[in-house]
Amino acid sequence: MSVNFIGYIGFNNTSELHSAVRSRALDRDYIRSALQVQEDGGFDRVLIPFGSSSPESQIVAAYGTALTTKLGFLVAHRPGFTQPTLAARQLATLDQLSDGRVAVHIITGGADEDMARDGDVGTTKTERYARSDEYLSILREEWTARAPFDHDGKFYHIRKAFSSVHPGNLPVFFGGTSPEAIDVAGRHADVYATWGETLEATREVVSRVRASAARYGRRIGFSLSLRPVIADTEEAAWKRAAEIEDQVRASREQAGLPLSGHRPPNDGSRRLLETASARRQDTRLWTGVARLTGAAGNSTGLVGTAEQVAESLLEYYKLGIGNFLIRGFEPLDDARRYGEELIPLTRDLVTALDTTEERQAV
């Protein structure tokens, strides 16, 4: 199994460290710099996020593919707002124009208020996962059908759909820890995406998702999202983690946002918040920001020297994690350091492990 690293293009060079409310401003200079830093740093892909107030992810990805030659793109996409046949052609076109450098991350949507801003009012989480299931079925058929097809489902009714453009290499990422989410992932996803939890919790979710995929006669890969904090010494890294917590706390207090008593709307955040019941788990899993923010998105990290964090990533790799989505609290500077230190160290450890296992298997 190979290891892949996924970076992040968050539209501007800020994070929770700089403002309690995430900025969606589009900074072209930052995007160009972030693309260059992450392509030069050996990242395999970068995630382009999706939100009801964000710049449009596919357009940003198209811009990025034109400015790079090797870097891949993971385009976050929310079902329900674009007809699946149109989305299939849009993504397939992007795949063709980028020479196969695009993957799609299907974001079903857990927060009612975020969904409502784009006009999706009154749907339940169960209904949204059912819609994603049907949406992905149509997406796959549009990508592979060699003749026009009809579809009659709960959410979509289609007559004589056909696309003249088909993707050559377009993996589907999917996340969510509810039973409905894991069932959809098992049926459709090439890669299941989850947030950074303890090794034991990660082992458990990998087992559940593999079992779901097996029910459909499929095999599935895994991606883990983390916020590494690295420094020249372990002591300095944990000091930096504490400083990040202090800055996030101060930003939230200034904005009048809660620091405790969080009730996340989605299963994934609730599960991550349980992990954050202790500030530090396993050897170097850090949950300080997750505790402060209510586990809002990718908010747990690994803390230590680059060598120590690489060793921790290897332990997740042993559980079947083949993709690591890593982003920092100082987006450009951290991405540069990941590329210079963390990525090559981890690749070396993975290569050594795989080589040893191959020799033992002979």
Side-chain angles (χ1 to χ4, degrees):
M1 183 175 73
S2 62
V3 63
N4 299 302
F5 287 93
I6 304 171
Y8 189 77
I9 302 287
F11 308 125
N12 57 73
N13 195 29
T14 63
S15 72
E16 307 94 319
L17 202 62
H18 309 97
S19 174
V21 178
R22 185 179 301 172
S23 169
R24 300 295 191 180
L26 184 64
D27 182 339
R28 286 182 297 172
D29 290 339
Y30 158 75
I31 290 174
R32 287 192 291 266
S33 296
L35 289 168
Q36 191 67 54
V37 163
Q38 291 176 96
E39 182 163 56
D40 291 347
F43 286 82
D44 297 280
R45 297 188 187 276
V46 289
L47 172 66
I48 312 295
F50 180 96
S52 62
S53 61
S54 299
E56 211 292 312
S57 57
Q58 289 186 65
I59 295 175
V60 175
Y63 178 72
T65 63
L67 294 177
T68 55
T69 57
K70 299 177 294 182
L71 189 65
F73 293 82
L74 179 56
V75 182
H77 176 77
R78 183 174 288 170
F81 302 104
T82 305
Q83 288 294 319
T85 49
L86 174 57
R89 296 195 302 277
Q90 290 171 333
L91 290 164
T93 302
L94 194 52
D95 167 83
Q96 292 290 312
L97 292 175
S98 69
D99 292 324
R101 288 189 284 143
V102 173
V104 61
H105 189 358
I106 299 296
I107 308 293
T108 296
D112 292 345
E113 63 274 14
D114 193 52
M115 305 295 288
R117 293 188 192 104
D118 276 331
D120 190 2
V121 179
T123 56
T124 66
K125 184 181 71 172
T126 298
E127 288 171 333
R128 291 197 287 265
Y129 277 115
R131 183 174 62 190
S132 292
D133 187 11
E134 188 175 337
Y135 191 96
L136 282 163
S137 294
I138 297 167
L139 208 68
R140 293 282 196 188
E141 190 156 12
E142 180 90 351
W143 283 343
T144 57
R146 301 301 170 181
F149 67 92
D150 295 342
H151 175 89
D152 283 298
K154 179 178 179 181
F155 300 94
Y156 301 102
H157 300 276
I158 298 167
R159 296 290 176 268
K160 305 301 180 185
F162 179 72
S163 175
S164 60
V165 58
H166 297 90
N169 174 40
L170 213 166
V172 173
F173 286 57
F174 194 90
T177 57
S178 68
E180 299 97 331
I182 288 180
D183 182 68
V184 175
R187 184 177 179 185
H188 295 288
D190 299 300
V191 179
Y192 175 81
T194 187
W195 291 326
E197 299 181 294
T198 64
L199 290 167
E200 184 55 38
T202 302
R203 182 182 293 108
E204 185 268 339
V205 77
V206 165
S207 177
R208 288 171 61 201
V209 174
R210 280 177 172 163
S212 176
R215 287 196 295 272
Y216 295 102
R218 305 179 67 248
R219 299 184 67 180
I220 194 168
F222 294 89
S223 175
L224 190 74
S225 298
L226 289 159
R227 311 285 291 274
V229 178
I230 59 177
D232 293 338
T233 67
E234 182 175 9
E235 180 183 9
W238 282 107
K239 180 182 178 182
R240 177 58 181 150
E243 291 171 350
I244 290 170
E245 287 180 52
D246 289 342
Q247 289 174 269
V248 171
R249 183 182 294 108
S251 293
R252 291 183 68 84
E253 287 175 342
Q254 185 175 13
L257 295 175
L259 300 172
S260 60
H262 301 288
R263 292 182 174 84
N266 57 306
D267 284 355
S269 289
R270 288 194 291 269
R271 179 181 168 112
L272 198 61
L273 201 53
E274 290 177 8
T275 296
S277 59
R279 178 176 179 269
R280 182 172 177 175
Q281 302 256 16
D282 291 341
T283 305
R284 57 192 70 263
L285 179 66
W286 167 63
T287 65
V289 170
R291 294 173 71 186
L292 293 171
T293 63
N298 176 14
S299 50
T300 56
L302 295 172
V303 179
T305 65
E307 292 82 359
Q308 290 171 329
V309 172
E311 290 166 359
S312 293
L313 291 176
L314 186 69
E315 295 306 308
Y316 286 104
Y317 177 82
K318 291 175 183 177
L319 299 180
I321 306 298
N323 301 270
F324 292 102
L325 196 163
I326 53 173
R327 64 184 178 100
F329 292 91
E330 294 288 357
L332 270 181
D333 290 344
D334 288 339
R336 186 175 290 107
R337 186 162 192 175
Y338 297 159
E340 292 172 351
E341 301 178 38
L342 183 58
I343 290 177
L345 284 168
T346 307
R347 290 196 193 281
D348 287 347
L349 289 175
V350 166
T351 298
L353 176 67
D354 288 348
T355 300
T356 299
E357 291 181 345
E358 287 170 4
R359 289 173 178 167
Q360 292 174 344
V362 173

